[in-house]
Amino acid sequence: MDWKLTLQIIGVALGLLYLYFEYKANIWLWVIGLIMPIVHGILYYRQGLYADCAMETYYILAGIYGLVVWSQKGSKKDKKSELRIGHTPRVAWVAIVGVYAILHSGIYLLLINFTDSTVPFWDSLTTSLSVIAYWLLSRKYVEQWLVWLAVDVITVGLYFYKEIPLTASLYALYSLLAIAGYLRWLLVIQQEQSIE
């Protein structure tokens, strides 16, 4: 079995496990999220997806952050201080869009000036959106699923183009699960609001 196929199979298995835990809003997603980037980072580097490769370093750091944030428990007296699934505050969206624009532009410029990337726009697009989605996930904001959906749909085409079809297929599945996850997290929000 060649290295590309092996890395794709391992990455798909880890990705499915990660998605299961994310769907369940289970803290174990962050543990898998510390292992999976190593596998994908090697694959993306060898395929010339440099921004996606660099993104894997961010995923490791963000995974540590997410694990710490999700590990913090509210006191028994103050359950409201515990991090719960919710909506992204409207005022945050201006900053989020600004950060996205800066990231996308900066990564794009790096790729066209310092790499031999054949897909600098798309690589920088999915990478910058992934940074945003991962931060939203770390705060348990339901809209993270919608950002991931955009990333996943674009990534399917990009990875088929770059001839890594198993990983592209994983992202097609991610797209479907992003819809299911979004609906599930909305239901959790509604159930918690009806209890209060």
Side-chain angles (χ1 to χ4, degrees), residues 82-146:
E82 185 175 327
L83 186 64
R84 295 164 55 182
I85 296 171
H87 289 284
T88 309
R90 287 185 184 170
V91 296
W93 282 108
V94 172
I96 290 168
V97 169
V99 168
Y100 158 75
I102 291 166
L103 282 171
H104 189 175
S105 300
I107 295 167
Y108 176 76
L109 290 172
L110 285 171
L111 290 176
I112 62 171
N113 289 308
F114 299 105
T115 74
D116 60 352
S117 177
T118 59
V119 288
F121 177 83
W122 299 106
D123 198 5
S124 57
L125 173 67
T126 57
T127 300
S128 53
L129 284 175
S130 295
V131 170
I132 299 301
Y134 224 53
W135 181 81
L136 292 170
L137 171 61
S138 75
R139 306 306 310 158
K140 284 192 176 178
Y141 292 142
V142 69
E143 292 79 12
Q144 61 100 9
W145 288 107
L146 299 177

Side-chain angles (χ1 to χ4, degrees), residues 25-49:
N26 185 305
I27 196 167
W28 279 95
L29 78 96
W30 297 109
V31 176
I32 300 301
L34 293 172
I35 300 166
M36 190 170 52
I38 296 167
V39 174
H40 284 143
I42 295 167
L43 176 65
Y44 300 155
Y45 180 79
R46 296 194 64 178
Q47 285 303 111
L49 292 162

